[in-house]
Amino acid sequence: MDNQNNGYDPNGYEQNNYNNYNSNQSPDPYYRPQPQYGNNVKAILSLIFSIISVLCCCFWYVAIIFGVASVVFGVLAVRGNNPRQKDLGIAGIVVGSVGTVLAIAVAVLYIVLYSQSATEGITNTVSSISSLI
């Protein structure tokens, strides 16, 4: 019998002819695999909250809350170490700021209109009471 092992190791393992090349390793010695980042949940929440803020700007108290939350999540997403979705965080900051400004404008308009109708109601009530006397 020959001393050839016919492609098998004496320990029972099959030998390959790939010179110990591992498929996970690159032949380039300077190659470093990039870290795998998941989805940036803060950036996604920022964009969702900002869209809700713009859509609900007529309900100013809801829109202000969602607008401020979207700006906060957007800033946290931009400052985070996930480089993949920083643009989504920036979009959330911009749209959330627009939603907050719209909500504040609606709130001011509501207060001005409500206070004007209230003062007209008071003057009408006072004039009707004075006409009775």
Side-chain angles (χ1 to χ4, degrees), residues 23 34 38 40 55 61 67 76 79 89 101 116 122 132:
S23 63
Q34 298 296 325
N40 194 348
L55 292 177
Y61 42 87
L76 290 176
R79 287 188 178 179
V101 168
Q116 186 178 10
I122 291 173
L132 291 175

Coordinates of all heavy atoms in Angstrom, one line a residue, residues 23 34 38 40 55 61 67 76 79 89 101 116 122 132:
S23 N -12.9 31.5 2.9 CA -13.7 32.3 2.1 C -14.1 33.6 2.7 O -14.6 34.6 2.1 CB -15.0 31.6 1.6 OG -15.8 31.3 2.8
Q34 N -16.2 46.2 6.9 CA -16.9 47.3 7.5 C -17.9 46.8 8.5 O -18.5 45.8 8.4 CB -17.7 48.1 6.4 CG -16.8 48.6 5.3 CD -15.9 49.7 5.8 OE1 -16.3 50.5 6.7 NE2 -14.7 49.8 5.3
G38 N -27.3 48.5 11.9 CA -28.7 48.2 11.7 C -29.4 49.5 11.3 O -28.8 50.6 11.0
N40 N -31.3 52.9 11.7 CA -31.3 54.0 12.7 C -32.7 54.3 13.2 O -33.4 55.1 12.5 CB -30.6 55.2 12.1 CG -30.2 56.2 13.2 OD1 -30.6 56.1 14.3 ND2 -29.4 57.1 12.8
L55 N -49.0 67.0 9.4 CA -50.3 66.7 9.1 C -51.3 67.1 10.2 O -52.5 67.3 9.9 CB -50.4 65.1 8.9 CG -49.7 64.6 7.6 CD1 -49.8 63.1 7.6 CD2 -50.3 65.2 6.4
Y61 N -51.8 71.6 19.7 CA -51.2 71.0 20.9 C -50.6 69.6 20.6 O -49.5 69.3 21.2 CB -52.2 70.9 22.0 CG -53.6 70.4 21.6 CD1 -53.9 69.1 21.5 CD2 -54.6 71.3 21.1 CE1 -55.1 68.6 21.0 CE2 -55.8 70.9 20.7 CZ -56.1 69.5 20.6 OH -57.3 69.1 20.2
G67 N -43.7 67.7 16.9 CA -42.6 68.4 16.3 C -41.4 68.5 17.2 O -40.3 68.3 16.7
L76 N -30.5 63.5 18.0 CA -29.9 62.2 18.5 C -29.4 61.3 17.4 O -28.4 60.7 17.5 CB -30.9 61.5 19.4 CG -31.2 62.2 20.8 CD1 -32.2 61.4 21.5 CD2 -29.9 62.3 21.6
R79 N -26.2 62.9 15.8 CA -25.1 62.8 16.6 C -24.7 61.4 16.9 O -23.6 61.1 17.4 CB -25.4 63.5 18.0 CG -25.4 65.0 17.9 CD -25.5 65.5 19.3 NE -25.5 67.0 19.2 CZ -25.6 67.7 20.3 NH1 -25.7 67.2 21.5 NH2 -25.5 69.0 20.1
G89 N -32.2 61.7 9.5 CA -32.3 62.5 10.8 C -32.4 64.0 10.5 O -33.2 64.7 11.1
V101 N -43.4 75.1 13.7 CA -43.7 76.5 13.4 C -45.2 76.6 12.9 O -45.8 77.6 13.3 CB -42.7 77.0 12.3 CG1 -43.2 78.3 11.7 CG2 -41.3 77.1 12.9
Q116 N -60.4 87.8 20.4 CA -61.2 88.9 19.8 C -62.7 88.6 19.9 O -63.4 89.5 20.2 CB -60.8 89.0 18.3 CG -61.4 90.2 17.6 CD -60.9 90.3 16.2 OE1 -60.3 89.3 15.6 NE2 -61.2 91.4 15.5
I122 N -68.0 90.3 25.3 CA -68.1 91.0 26.6 C -68.6 92.4 26.3 O -69.5 92.9 27.1 CB -66.7 91.1 27.3 CG1 -66.3 89.7 27.8 CG2 -66.7 92.1 28.4 CD1 -64.9 89.6 28.3
L132 N -80.5 98.0 29.3 CA -81.6 97.6 30.2 C -81.7 98.6 31.4 O -82.8 98.8 31.9 CB -81.4 96.2 30.7 CG -81.5 95.1 29.6 CD1 -81.2 93.8 30.2 CD2 -82.9 95.1 29.0

